[in-house]
Amino acid sequence: MRPWETFEVVVIGGGHAGIEAAHAAARIGCETALVTMDVRAIGRMSCNPAIGGIGKGQIVREIDALGGVMGKLADATGIQFRLLNRKKGPAVWSPRCQSDKARYAEAAQRLILSTPRLTVIEGVADELLVDGDRIVGVRLQDGRVLGARAVVIASGTFMNGLIHIGLETQPAGRIGEPPAVGLPESLRRLGFEMGRLKTGTPPRLLRESVRYDVLEVQEGDPDPVFFSFDTTSVTLPQTVCWITYTNPEVHEIIRNNLHVAPMYCGRIRGIGPRYCPSIEDKVVRFADKTHHQLFLEPEGLDPDAWIYINGLSTSLPREIQEEIVHRIRGLEDAVIVRYAYAVEYDFVLPHQLKHTLETKRIEGLFHAGQVNGTTGYEEAAGQGLVAGINAALKVRRRPPLVLSRHESYIGIMIDDLVTKGVEDPYRMFTSRAELRLLLRIDNADLRLSEYGYRIGLLPEERWERVQQKRARLRRAIEFMNTCRPGPCLKPEQTHPVPLKGHETLAVLLKRPEMTLDRLLEAYDVPEIAGLAYEERYSMELEIKYEGYIRRQLQELERMKKRLDLRIPPDFPVDRVPGLRKEIVEKLQKYRPETLADALRIQGVTPAAVVLLSYYIDRWQRTGRVTS
């Protein structure tokens, strides 16, 4: 059949993965089509109106460093910014922002509709067209055919989507939006192994029906940490969120109604997200807990914007949801404007992908987002960017982009998906990174911007700024490593800490009690004072944690060399300090013979393998795991 229209790259889906994929492919120079059921749904936040979080914020920073758009969209529409994990080390600091849901989607639509070489087509992808083992196009449900040299599937939860509210079900990929039925069947006919997953969303409340006076207030940060390296200030007025809790009465209602909970009465076959469980799962799995924290988050600044109950995801019947909500402090008179629901959907097992996110079975076909078994806007966007880049590079016959797990969280995610697959919806955590101190939020541009510039996504001016930043940091660190405190002491100031000899400013800064701010109060260091705030922060971390970073690199090299290390049959993995319980359980279940075998087990991280290597050494030398 003669194509209705021909493109170089066709992207299926207008969610966060599809936005990044289509924008990247078009920016690289390919004539690109974005196929979506509804233009007004592009960039729609299906669940939580927020971007970032632990591990996720790192991904968004990396997307921005590569030339993607999620960070800019989030900054432009953020109504509360918070840096998470401040009480912990800088390796796990993660930015998060509450977003204005409507404004985020509007900004995404403006961006996509104004991108040169990008055409938006309303329709439903129904069939993948192949010639032998190569993709050649997509047939839409209405019969139109789009010819393509590369196709990116970013279908979200729409493939055979089925919504559950109690014992009621309705085919839908999102509430009020029909599922995609033909696409998953087309994938099956092409021989792809498919699975079934489940996710969920909590109730939304009428804003004025909440009693805010009895709730804990959660403020944003006065000094926001943004996602984009281009952002310098907030755009929208900032707001607060609120905190409340479940209680024993709520838990009793849930326990008494598990027989009408789809997850517990056999209605749902798909596996739900382990790290973002429904309230039913929390009550059952953590039966000793008397309460669970809930966050009340405004979905926007407008007076009619709803309130999202973060932490109360459920698929219980409507009347039970009413009963639960009205027994929570502050929500006694709350009006539910949208009931919570669970959605089941098909995905393609990701071990069938290359690290470029191209499928091994069909050349030119790429997958990104929940179709690969992940959950979360940020994970989807990171995959969408890589898939869109590689689809365009393939069309242009250029070398692909493959990100290493040792240089990016995006690389970790893709490596995990491709080599280990998924047992439940995959989400990113900082604990998945074995080199967390190297993969910080402040240096994402230094790590990845060269890729974005060479590919053609990052403008010349932005790349020049990165190079200037790198040079300033190098000069500042060299200065700190050579300059001694005495000559730099300001008039009428005393040394903030006793000097022990011929120390340099860098040695002084490494002391636990010393910070860069204290150092600059006492010493005149124009080479440092002239740095931007985030550059000072980067320099301080590089100096303070230089020993730890060097040790991590050494551990990585040892791990690479010793993956063939045998795990003694009597080695007590349950006594290894710092090894997560779920990893211990999997090691005990599968009993891998070598560290390489252990690393292939889904859920066993490279960081865990580093720990095992160290304690196996100790076990073999001393017969003990701990001293």
Side-chain angles (χ1 to χ4, degrees):
M1 178 181 289
R2 186 179 180 82
W4 168 73
E5 195 166 355
T6 299
F7 296 90
E8 291 177 293
V9 177
V10 170
V11 177
I12 301 171
H16 303 282
I19 288 169
E20 296 290 352
H23 180 263
R27 282 285 309 281
I28 291 171
C30 292
E31 290 299 324
T32 303
L34 174 64
V35 179
T36 178
M37 294 182 183
D38 184 352
V39 172
R40 296 165 300 176
I42 291 173
R44 183 172 289 167
M45 291 178 150
S46 310
C47 195
N48 194 0
I51 297 293
I54 296 172
K56 295 168 175 281
Q58 278 85 342
I59 289 178
V60 183
R61 275 240 157 171
E62 293 178 353
I63 289 170
D64 186 74
L66 286 163
V69 299
M70 176 173 269
K72 289 182 175 61
L73 293 173
D75 289 344
T77 58
I79 56 178
Q80 188 195 76
F81 292 85
R82 295 178 62 230
L83 184 64
L84 307 184
N85 274 346
R86 279 188 186 266
K87 294 181 180 178
K88 298 183 180 180
V92 296
W93 292 350
S94 304
R96 181 188 189 272
C97 84
Q98 192 68 24
S99 299
D100 188 301
K101 182 176 182 175
R103 287 177 172 85
Y104 187 98
E106 290 166 2
Q109 290 158 30
R110 283 195 303 271
L111 172 77
I112 290 300
L113 292 171
S114 63
T115 299
R117 293 180 293 276
L118 177 54
T119 302
V120 176
I121 297 173
E122 284 193 327
V124 178
D126 204 50
E127 183 183 3
L128 299 171
L129 304 177
V130 300
D131 180 7
D133 60 357
R134 202 191 192 306
I135 196 80
V136 294
V138 178
R139 190 191 314 277
L140 305 187
Q141 202 171 64
D142 60 9
R144 289 178 290 173
V145 173
L146 308 180
R149 293 173 60 189
V151 171
V152 179
I153 297 179
S155 52
T157 60
F158 280 78
M159 292 204 304
N160 281 326
L162 185 65
I163 281 178
H164 298 261
I165 304 178
L167 302 183
E168 301 175 27
T169 60
Q170 55 178 294
R174 194 159 47 197
I175 196 76
E177 300 180 50
V181 178
L183 184 60
E185 295 313 309
S186 181
L187 286 164
R188 284 189 172 89
R189 286 196 299 272
L190 290 172
F192 286 98
E193 294 181 62
M194 310 281 285
R196 194 89 169 143
L197 294 176
K198 165 259 178 189
T199 189
T201 190
R204 271 63 156 189
L205 307 177
L206 191 66
R207 196 183 195 110
E208 60 264 30
S209 67
V210 176
R211 292 179 53 211
Y212 299 102
D213 58 311
V214 299
L215 302 176
E216 298 176 31
V217 175
Q218 183 185 61
E219 302 274 359
D221 293 341
D223 52 340
V225 173
F226 298 112
F227 292 105
S228 175
F229 290 91
D230 287 332
T231 306
T232 57
S233 61
V234 295
T235 302
L236 297 176
Q238 299 298 285
T239 187
V240 299
C241 298
W242 300 269
I243 298 173
T244 188
Y245 301 87
T246 62
N247 54 59
E249 189 178 3
V250 167
H251 295 189
E252 187 62 22
I253 293 170
I254 292 169
R255 280 191 288 267
N256 290 339
N257 286 280
L258 290 176
H259 63 287
V260 288
M263 283 292 291
Y264 287 89
C265 67
R267 289 295 185 98
I268 292 179
R269 295 183 293 109
I271 301 169
R274 184 188 319 173
Y275 300 107
C276 188
S278 66
I279 192 64
E280 301 97 289
D281 282 340
K282 291 179 186 177
V283 169
V284 172
R285 287 164 53 188
F286 308 106
D288 57 322
K289 300 289 185 184
T290 59
H291 65 276
H292 294 284
Q293 194 173 50
L294 305 174
F295 297 90
L296 302 187
E297 301 172 339
E299 292 197 330
L301 294 174
D302 297 337
D304 59 349
W306 298 341
I307 296 295
Y308 177 97
I309 315 178
N310 192 343
L312 200 68
S313 176
T314 183
S315 55
L316 284 163
R318 295 176 180 85
E319 63 273 16
I320 306 303
Q321 293 186 38
E322 293 275 0
E323 209 174 336
I324 289 170
V325 166
H326 293 150
R327 282 166 174 76
I328 294 171
R329 182 175 175 80
L331 309 184
E332 294 86 351
D333 302 313
V335 176
I336 299 178
V337 288
R338 174 173 287 172
Y339 290 96
Y341 63 88
V343 57
E344 254 188 308
Y345 56 95
D346 288 351
F347 78 106
V348 181
L349 274 60
H351 70 270
Q352 300 167 96
L353 298 171
K354 303 174 185 177
H355 279 79
T356 59
L357 294 182
E358 183 181 23
T359 65
K360 297 173 182 175
R361 182 175 292 272
I362 302 295
E363 186 180 356
L365 178 62
F366 296 78
H367 292 175
Q370 285 173 293
V371 66
N372 290 336
T374 62
T375 182
Y377 306 148
E378 304 80 4
E379 289 88 344
Q383 294 171 71
L385 181 60
V386 171
I389 287 171
N390 280 315
L393 294 178
K394 187 174 188 69
V395 167
R396 288 284 181 261
R397 303 184 191 279
R398 292 170 58 188
L401 172 69
V402 176
L403 296 175
S404 155
R405 67 179 301 123
H406 310 311
E407 63 184 343
S408 68
Y409 275 85
I410 296 174
I412 291 167
M413 170 177 60
I414 293 174
D415 187 58
D416 284 347
L417 293 173
V418 171
T419 61
K420 299 184 179 185
V422 295
E423 293 180 351
D424 50 70
Y426 178 101
R427 71 154 290 177
M428 179 51 68
F429 288 105
T430 52
S431 59
R432 295 188 187 274
E434 59 271 34
L435 296 180
R436 291 188 289 277
L437 270 173
L438 292 180
L439 307 183
R440 305 186 310 269
I441 58 173
D442 63 284
N443 65 8
D445 55 342
L446 301 176
R447 290 185 276 117
L448 300 174
S449 288
E450 186 172 355
Y451 291 128
Y453 174 68
R454 288 182 176 177
I455 288 166
L457 285 181
L458 213 62
E460 179 82 35
E461 181 270 336
R462 173 80 176 267
W463 171 234
E464 183 62 31
R465 285 192 353 240
V466 173
Q467 290 178 297
Q468 291 170 358
K469 173 182 174 180
R470 193 191 309 276
R472 284 194 299 270
L473 284 173
R474 184 174 61 248
R475 287 195 300 268
I477 292 172
E478 287 174 357
F479 177 83
M480 293 286 286
N481 279 317
T482 56
C483 183
R484 304 198 184 281
C488 300
L489 190 65
K490 292 179 180 178
E492 300 179 1
Q493 288 282 341
T494 58
H495 295 290
V497 291
L499 301 182
K500 298 179 180 179
H502 298 292
E503 296 169 298
T504 63
L505 288 175
V507 172
L508 207 61
L509 185 58
K510 289 181 181 181
R511 292 195 190 182
E513 70 274 20
M514 179 58 74
T515 65
L516 185 58
D517 287 340
R518 285 189 67 195
L519 188 143
L520 292 176
E521 286 175 7
Y523 302 108
D524 185 16
V525 192
E527 291 83 354
I528 308 303
L531 296 178
Y533 171 78
E534 191 162 276
E535 292 172 352
R536 292 189 194 182
Y537 160 71
S538 293
M539 187 213 68
E540 181 175 9
L541 295 181
E542 288 290 336
I543 290 174
K544 268 189 172 295
Y545 295 96
E546 183 266 337
Y548 294 101
I549 291 171
R550 185 174 62 251
R551 195 174 310 148
Q552 280 195 346
L553 290 170
Q554 290 170 348
E555 286 174 350
L556 173 64
E557 289 305 312
R558 282 199 296 269
M559 186 187 76
K560 287 178 178 177
K561 293 175 182 177
R562 303 195 59 203
L563 281 178
D564 58 348
L565 178 69
R566 299 193 69 79
I567 302 174
D570 56 346
F571 179 69
V573 293
D574 57 332
R575 283 158 48 192
V576 174
L579 209 56
R580 294 207 314 264
K581 182 180 178 182
E582 64 188 73
I583 292 178
V584 170
E585 290 173 351
K586 289 189 174 183
L587 291 172
Q588 291 175 329
K589 177 181 178 180
Y590 295 108
R591 302 187 66 81
E593 294 184 1
T594 66
L595 291 182
D597 294 337
L599 195 56
R600 282 190 284 270
I601 299 173
Q602 201 278 332
V604 176
T605 65
V609 170
V610 170
L611 274 178
L612 284 170
S613 173
Y614 175 80
Y615 285 104
I616 288 172
D617 267 350
R618 175 174 283 185
W619 172 264
Q620 291 175 330
R621 285 186 288 103
T622 67
R624 296 192 303 271
V625 173
T626 56
S627 53

